[in-house]
Amino acid sequence: MSDPVIAPMADVRKHLADVIDRAHRDETPTIITRRGKQEAVVIDIDEYQRLRELAERTEDAWLNRLADEAESEGLEGSVSLEEMAALLRSHHA
């Protein structure tokens, strides 16, 4: 993946097809700014899906570690893995 291009929203609007082509063909993300502040990024769909899968695997591994630690400490006051996942997801929403 190449270093990202940083572009203001107005430029991205004018050249959206080029931004998408650059993300897909060159694997170059574009960071979109608004009033000088970084707001969003355009990346290739394959990279997005790879990042989502990585995040899910990382979250699953973390939840499994928490469950293993809780199990080793005993069951009193514990919640199920499903309950913990629901709590974490509601916290991130």
Side-chain angles (χ1 to χ4, degrees):
M1 180 180 286
S2 302
D3 288 338
V5 171
I6 299 174
M9 178 89 68
D11 290 353
V12 171
R13 273 194 207 113
K14 290 177 190 175
H15 306 285
L16 183 57
D18 293 333
V19 170
I20 293 170
D21 287 344
R22 181 173 50 228
H24 180 70
R25 183 185 59 243
D26 303 332
E27 298 181 349
T28 301
T30 299
I31 296 172
I32 303 169
T33 62
R34 184 172 20 194
R35 294 184 204 100
K37 182 181 174 200
Q38 295 182 353
E39 293 282 336
V41 64
V42 176
I43 59 174
D44 179 63
I45 191 67
D46 292 334
E47 180 66 5
Y48 169 77
Q49 290 169 339
R50 186 188 72 78
L51 291 171
R52 286 284 309 245
E53 290 170 7
L54 178 62
E56 288 174 10
R57 284 194 310 267
T58 302
E59 181 181 42
D60 288 347
W62 179 68
L63 288 171
N64 286 331
R65 276 195 312 274
L66 284 178
D68 290 344
E69 290 172 13
E71 186 176 329
S72 71
E73 293 173 5
L75 298 177
E76 189 164 331
S78 66
V79 296
S80 71
L81 181 58
E82 291 79 15
E83 292 170 314
M84 178 64 77
L87 287 169
L88 289 169
R89 288 189 180 96
S90 69
H91 178 70
H92 289 294

